[in-house]
Every structure is written in C-alpha cells, then in structure tokens.
Amino acid sequence: MEKILEHTTEEFLQFQKIARFSRDIIITEKIDGTNAQVYITEYGDVIAGSRKRYITPSDDNHGFAVWVEGNKNELLKLGPGRNYGEWWGGPINRGYGLPKGEKYFSMFNTIRWCAYGETPARIHKEDPRIEKYQEILPECCRLVPVLYHGAFLTDKIEEALTDLQQKGSYAAPGFMNPEGIVIFHPAANICFKKTIKNDEIPKSFVT
C-alpha cells in the first residue's frame, strides 16, 4: 500500500460530518414565482441571476435584472456574496392576485436577516456565550414568511401546511391558492419542500 500511495495523485476525500437530526427547523411559505439571486462581488459589482444563469436587462427573466439595476445602491447593503430568493408577483406563475408589474424579491435566508423596520433578533448558537444578531434587510427586499421556527417535529410540518391551506398566503394576504412550504434544517444545511397539492407518496413506494 505504501508504494501505491507514493504514486497516487488522487486527493484524499473524507466522509462528510453527519448532522444531528434533533435540531431546529424553519418552515417558510414556498412562494410560486421564479428563483433569483443577487450576486455582489468583492469589487462592488451587482449581478442578477436566475436559477441557471446570469441575466441582464436585455436578456432578462420576468424583469428581475431591470429591478436589480434600478435598486443597485440599496442592494449593495447586502454585502459581498450570493443572495438567493424568489422573484414573484403579477404575472409570474401563480401571480398572487397582483397586477402586472407589481413584483417582489423575497429572500430565503431568514436566519441572517430581519425585515426592514423590525428589531434584529439574536441568532441561536450552540455556545450561548456567542452573541450574534440578524442584519437589517435593505428596504427594497422582503423575506419569505416564516410559519414555524423550533424543534424538528413532524406535527409542526403538517400544522404549518394546514394553516397555509386554510388561511391562504402570508406573502400575499387574501390569496387563497398558496403553493406549500419549505422546511429548512440549518444543522444539515438542507431544504425540503412540501406542497398542498400533488405531494402524495408515490405508489411505487407503498408496499
């Protein structure tokens, strides 16, 4: 084996750390728009993106790049990095009863940010001695609505979905055809989605 190791050029890959299942989850409303991102480079360039590509005002996706260009100075407050969210409103997908041209960018990272005008909450850390607080979201942005934040309990997932179905969208109050929810597990850094319709267990999985 020693001789093999002397000549191998393969990089060693370790097994990834397993996240603890019994940690908090964050359930948010799944908005039916189009995936979008605002990428701010370390040089202060503001770039718009869709799910699969960068976009420009001349090669746009439902007007998102135009919106980014028009709100460049405000978006710079996000700081360097990639900021993901949903670009939604009339007439994108569900539309949410909004007139054509009324669109919003609702960001996914509800841990890092608090809505503009709200008081930043303390971010939970495993070590209670570490104090970290949310940042204030730029005025031109929104957050996806948080329906639950707490222990990973499957009952809470079903309750959030039922609440959304009965009360309608929290992103667009009065709109009674919301899509569903997203369950985010911060410890594992993974998301799951569950929709109100067409979310049955596939028959091939039922024994």
Side-chain angles (χ1 to χ4, degrees):
M1 181 177 290
E2 286 79 4
K3 291 183 178 181
I4 296 175
L5 290 177
E6 287 177 4
H7 297 92
T8 185
T9 58
E10 292 294 323
E11 179 186 357
F12 177 77
L13 297 177
Q14 66 178 17
F15 186 77
Q16 65 181 16
K17 186 177 180 180
I18 299 175
R20 289 191 177 273
F21 184 78
S22 298
R23 289 293 183 267
D24 281 6
I25 57 171
I26 301 171
I27 302 176
T28 58
E29 179 179 350
K30 185 180 187 303
I31 303 175
D32 185 18
T34 183
N35 190 271
Q37 69 164 292
V38 176
Y39 173 40
I40 300 176
T41 71
E42 59 182 314
Y43 305 106
D45 298 316
V46 181
I47 303 172
S50 64
R51 180 184 295 276
K52 297 181 178 180
R53 63 188 178 91
Y54 290 123
I55 55 179
T56 66
S58 61
D59 183 21
D60 212 340
N61 182 37
H62 292 286
F64 183 65
V66 170
W67 178 85
V68 169
E69 184 68 24
N71 290 275
K72 178 179 177 180
N73 291 336
E74 187 71 12
L75 291 170
L76 281 170
K77 296 177 182 178
L78 294 171
R82 298 182 185 274
N83 303 274
Y84 297 96
E86 196 79 1
W87 178 239
W88 62 281
I92 307 171
N93 291 330
R94 271 176 169 76
Y96 290 83
L98 299 175
K100 184 177 180 180
E102 185 175 343
K103 303 181 185 74
Y104 301 100
F105 181 50
S106 293
M107 293 177 57
F108 299 143
N109 193 348
T110 61
I111 296 178
R112 176 182 175 185
W113 304 101
C114 70
Y116 183 82
E118 294 185 357
T119 302
R122 183 172 178 176
I123 299 173
H124 173 75
K125 293 290 183 181
E126 293 291 334
D127 186 344
R129 295 171 297 179
I130 299 176
E131 287 195 26
K132 188 173 182 180
Y133 292 85
Q134 293 176 315
E135 299 172 58
I136 299 176
L137 200 63
E139 190 173 3
C140 62
C141 301
R142 293 187 175 191
L143 290 172
V144 291
V146 176
L147 307 180
Y148 171 78
H149 185 176
F152 194 160
L153 303 171
T154 54
D155 287 350
K156 295 298 182 182
I157 295 173
E158 295 303 325
E159 286 176 12
L161 199 64
T162 299
D163 180 68
L164 193 67
Q165 186 174 14
Q166 293 177 347
K167 297 180 181 179
S169 171
Y170 282 81
F175 183 75
M176 297 306 295
N177 185 29
E179 183 179 15
I181 59 175
V182 172
I183 305 103
F184 175 50
H185 192 297
N189 193 30
I190 190 170
C191 292
F192 300 93
K193 64 181 178 181
K194 192 169 180 63
T195 54
I196 292 173
K197 298 178 181 178
N198 304 317
D199 198 56
E200 298 81 8
I201 298 176
K203 292 181 179 180
S204 59
F205 288 6
V206 180
T207 56

